[in-house]
Amino acid sequence: MSKDIWVLAETKDGKVRKITHELLTKASELAAKSGAGVSAILIGHNVASLAQDLAHYGANKVYVADHESLNTYTTDGYTNVIAGLLKENQAGTFLTGTTANGKDLTPRVAVRLEAGAISDATELDCDAEGKMTAVRPIYAGKAFEKVTFSGFPQIIEVRSNSFIAKDADESKTAEIINVTPNLGEVRTKVTATKVSSGDKIELTEADIIVSGGRGLKGPENLYLVSDLAKAMGAAQGASRAIVDAGWIDYDYQVGQTGKVVSPNLYLACGISGAIQHLAGMSSSKIIVAINKDADAPIFKVADYGIVGDVFQILPALTAEVNKTKAH
Amino acid sequence: MNIVVCLKQTPDTEAKIVVQANGKDVEKDKFKYIMSSYDELAVEEGIKLKEKFGGTVTVVTVGTTKTHETLRSALAMGADSAIQIWDDSLENIDSYVTAKLLAKAIKNQGFDIVLCGQKAIDTGASLVGGMVAEMLSIPQVYLVTKLEAVDETKLLAHRQIEGGEEVIEVSLPVLITAQRGLNTPRYIKLPDIMKAKKKELKTLGLSDLGFSVADVASKVNVVEITLPPAKKAGKIFTNGESDVAELVKLLREEAKVI
């Protein structure tokens, strides 16, 4: 029997995040192959009620560290609690998401456990002993590297949208282990948190992304992109060119020096497809290009495309999506 | 203030990737190398701190003598000295070993603040910073878009999180990783390049850091590098607006993505 596969459960606004469901789905698939169990760490404040939700996606055991002092993420507090649990229970593998906190925590936990770590895995497999093989993009998706670990534990940060979460199976239950968290010394203090309105969809987690580029001619025309995004329930993205030109905030940039995304559907509107943009979105499942230049490189990676003027096509597309939605 | 900046030399973002015949490496001869763009932000921030509080900026990297040109650019920007760490046994090391080498060199150097880019633009790993901080037993703030120095001992770091930011108060020593928005790196002027040539650039081997080859065995190994599968030609329409209904139908019924 292999050592357990552990998953960090992340929550937001009282719900388990989608990435956690994706990780648990994958973990239970790998656990079945290696004869391992799946353990989840549920950490935060007022999160204990979510433990069975994790069971529905494949956790056999849920370690609950629910405490007021864990209400806000801190590197030290979370690392101490999580690394402590992994060490004590001799975890074989630990999966986290490539999220703000996942990125912050993973390298520290790895060193604490003297374990090898990788980030941004997009494929994952294991043998009967639970030894992992992972694939991760390098050069922002222009190539992929397949990696293996020299030993256990194996620490793996997984990119959002790499695996599809299965539907919840509400008949499943998990053993709940309540943990008294020992945060140790916390050397940072969060003095303020500013989060923009909750309805904004995070680019790296979005199922659909509508991005705009220089073809929109000016910031005043970006409403064409946001209108379509809204109609499709999509997140809005941007090319580096228009971020550099100051039309839109860096937060929206997709590409090698911006966000690397892999949604189900990516619509590139008025984006020519510079190599640095392609690097950030070419792993999208379906790519649609709308550009007036038929020779634009974006059409080489597109599954569907329309050669034409974004000023005519985007409003028509928004109307068509709204129309078919109404049916 | 004793400021150390970790940096990495990477191929520029326009680089075309060709896999070598062994399937485990990429052709590096034709790459044009630059300082990883997030590391450039880290160097700039280090120099700004020095300008405010005095002290020295030391830049450190792991890589062959090829990295000297990148270290010299950091010196031209205003760093005071540079450290290059290399040994032939370090070809293809993982993040863990890279961090181990950097942490040891930084510890020997002495530090109040360590700055890194939030990720390297080639491997995109984002691991070395946190590993170095843990190895040095100091706190860290990742993805920093604004750094305010309260005084010489305390900082307010604005950390990017999903959909917003946190302001984090932390005392030195600390490790910060730089995200875009932190600053605009300065342009290097010709006299600065001349001046940089006279600054100290030290090369350290494994034994200088007290390591043996066995100490730098990677925990993660690359077994294969592949290029993305070639995409089959897409369905591209050329009648403009009148194709919109067909496109939406295909996305719904064929691709099943809406």
Side-chain angles (χ1 to χ4, degrees):
Chain A
M1 208 182 78
S2 300
K3 289 175 177 173
D4 276 9
I5 301 174
W6 287 63
V7 170
L8 172 68
E10 290 200 62
T11 63
K12 199 186 177 195
D13 304 330
K15 280 191 205 141
V16 173
R17 284 180 68 169
K18 188 174 142 208
I19 175 70
T20 302
H21 290 153
E22 293 168 8
L23 293 177
L24 286 169
T25 300
K26 192 66 190 180
S28 48
E29 185 191 314
L30 296 169
K33 269 183 112 166
S34 59
V38 176
S39 294
I41 300 177
L42 181 56
I43 180 168
H45 183 45
N46 291 330
V47 291
S49 60
L50 299 169
Q52 289 308 334
D53 178 287
L54 303 178
H56 301 159
Y57 288 88
N60 311 117
K61 287 184 189 169
V62 180
Y63 290 80
V64 182
D66 192 328
H67 195 267
E68 210 182 334
S69 59
L70 293 166
N71 190 35
T72 305
Y73 173 85
T74 56
T75 310
D76 287 334
Y78 273 52
T79 301
N80 290 335
V81 172
I82 291 166
L85 278 170
L86 297 171
K87 223 173 197 173
E88 200 180 301
N89 296 286
Q90 299 186 351
T93 300
F94 180 47
L95 304 181
T96 61
T98 302
T99 56
N101 293 351
K103 279 169 105 156
D104 188 76
L105 175 97
T106 305
R108 295 206 77 120
V109 170
V111 172
R112 201 68 67 88
L113 303 183
E114 294 181 47
I118 60 154
S119 63
D120 246 354
T122 53
E123 285 175 44
L124 209 49
D125 200 0
C126 73
D127 64 11
E129 276 89 55
K131 281 184 162 166
M132 297 286 165
T133 303
V135 175
R136 59 183 306 277
I138 48 174
Y139 305 107
K142 287 184 225 166
F144 293 88
E145 61 181 16
K146 185 184 274 183
V147 300
T148 56
F149 291 82
S150 302
F152 293 96
Q154 312 169 113
I155 314 276
I156 302 168
E157 241 178 74
V158 175
R159 181 182 289 185
S160 296
N161 284 346
S162 297
F163 307 120
I164 299 161
K166 63 182 176 202
D167 294 333
D169 178 352
E170 294 187 4
S171 68
K172 286 189 175 167
T173 56
E175 182 191 341
I176 311 286
I177 300 109
N178 286 305
V179 180
T180 311
N182 181 6
L183 277 72
E185 188 199 356
V186 175
R187 296 166 290 185
T188 55
K189 195 171 122 200
V190 178
T191 58
T193 306
K194 293 172 227 161
V195 178
S196 51
S197 62
D199 59 351
K200 196 179 142 200
I201 305 165
E202 179 61 25
L203 266 176
T204 51
E205 291 180 10
D207 289 323
I208 305 177
I209 294 172
V210 183
S211 282
R214 228 171 349 203
L216 271 310
K217 293 203 159 68
E220 67 279 9
N221 301 319
L222 286 179
Y223 73 92
L224 292 168
V225 174
S226 54
D227 283 358
L228 178 59
K230 202 180 285 167
M232 302 189 87
Q236 187 180 346
S239 71
R240 172 162 143 182
I242 72 167
V243 172
D244 284 349
W247 297 6
I248 191 165
D249 201 65
Y250 170 62
D251 226 22
Y252 292 86
Q253 185 180 318
V254 172
Q256 187 160 5
T257 54
K259 287 183 175 142
V260 179
V261 299
S262 47
N264 285 326
L265 173 59
Y266 188 90
L267 288 103
C269 311
I271 292 177
S272 63
I275 192 159
Q276 103 96 32
H277 187 75
L278 299 182
M281 46 62 80
S282 55
S283 62
S284 306
K285 278 142 209 118
I286 297 289
I287 295 168
V288 174
I290 298 159
N291 200 299
K292 65 173 191 231
D293 174 11
D295 295 325
I298 192 76
F299 285 114
K300 295 209 169 56
V301 300
D303 299 280
Y304 302 98
I306 298 181
V307 178
D309 187 354
V310 284
F311 290 92
Q312 280 154 16
I313 293 171
L314 290 185
L317 196 50
T318 305
E320 183 68 22
V321 169
N322 280 329
K323 192 173 90 191
T324 46
K325 227 174 22 183
H327 282 288
Chain B
M1 197 178 274
N2 209 339
I3 304 153
V4 181
V5 185
C6 306
L7 59 84
K8 185 175 186 184
Q9 186 181 52
T10 62
D12 74 343
T13 56
E14 297 301 316
K16 197 167 165 352
I17 308 300
V18 178
V19 179
Q20 281 183 16
N22 67 10
K24 289 170 84 165
D25 233 317
V26 298
E27 299 279 359
K28 290 174 178 149
D29 306 351
K30 285 186 194 132
F31 281 160
K32 209 172 98 196
Y33 285 97
I34 57 168
M35 190 189 305
S36 180
S37 47
Y38 300 102
D39 296 345
E40 220 178 332
L41 304 175
V43 173
E44 174 64 31
E45 201 63 20
I47 296 165
K48 280 170 69 180
L49 285 169
K50 180 183 100 169
E51 285 167 351
K52 190 160 180 188
F53 296 110
T56 56
V57 177
T58 307
V59 291
V60 53
T61 196
V62 178
T64 64
T65 49
K66 179 100 188 104
T67 61
H68 286 192
E69 60 191 43
T70 301
L71 292 170
R72 291 280 175 211
S73 335
L75 294 173
M77 282 174 77
D80 301 284
S81 64
I83 300 171
Q84 176 226 353
I85 302 167
W86 190 246
D87 181 273
D88 287 340
S89 65
L90 299 176
E91 197 78 51
N92 300 323
I93 50 169
D94 66 356
S95 304
Y96 201 105
V97 175
T98 307
K100 203 168 168 179
L101 296 161
L102 291 171
K104 194 63 177 290
I106 294 167
K107 200 170 181 182
N108 291 348
Q109 172 73 21
F111 61 94
D112 295 306
I113 182 165
V114 182
L115 296 148
C116 312
Q118 64 104 342
K119 66 175 178 188
I121 60 166
D122 53 356
T123 59
S126 197
L127 293 169
V128 168
M131 287 177 163
V132 167
E134 178 67 21
M135 289 168 184
L136 293 173
S137 305
I138 58 172
Q140 71 190 35
V141 187
Y142 254 49
L143 290 163
V144 172
T145 54
K146 190 178 175 189
L147 197 60
E148 297 171 77
V150 179
D151 56 44
E152 271 175 81
T153 61
K154 198 183 273 180
L155 300 172
L156 285 178
H158 295 240
R159 169 188 179 231
Q160 189 181 63
I161 54 171
E162 282 91 358
E165 65 163 29
E166 281 176 352
V167 182
I168 294 176
E169 188 185 289
V170 63
S171 294
L172 302 187
V174 63
L175 180 140
I176 298 289
T177 79
Q179 168 65 317
R180 236 176 95 176
L182 182 62
N183 55 47
T184 308
R186 64 197 66 196
Y187 284 107
I188 300 171
K189 295 185 214 84
L190 192 61
D192 299 329
I193 297 174
M194 302 314 289
K195 251 189 268 168
K197 286 184 180 160
K198 296 195 190 94
K199 291 182 180 172
E200 186 193 17
L201 195 162
K202 193 160 64 179
T203 298
L204 299 179
L206 280 189
S207 56
D208 297 318
L209 294 170
F211 291 130
S212 67
V213 173
D215 294 327
V216 293
S218 291
K219 295 173 186 294
V220 173
N221 305 294
V222 176
V223 291
E224 191 186 22
I225 292 181
T226 52
L227 295 178
K231 275 197 106 149
K232 63 175 198 290
K235 292 182 181 168
I236 311 296
F237 301 100
T238 51
N239 299 318
E241 218 178 316
S242 56
D243 293 321
V244 165
E246 178 65 12
L247 173 68
V248 172
K249 191 168 166 233
L250 284 168
L251 291 178
R252 178 160 291 133
E253 289 168 12
E254 188 178 80
K256 298 188 168 65
V257 286
I258 56 172

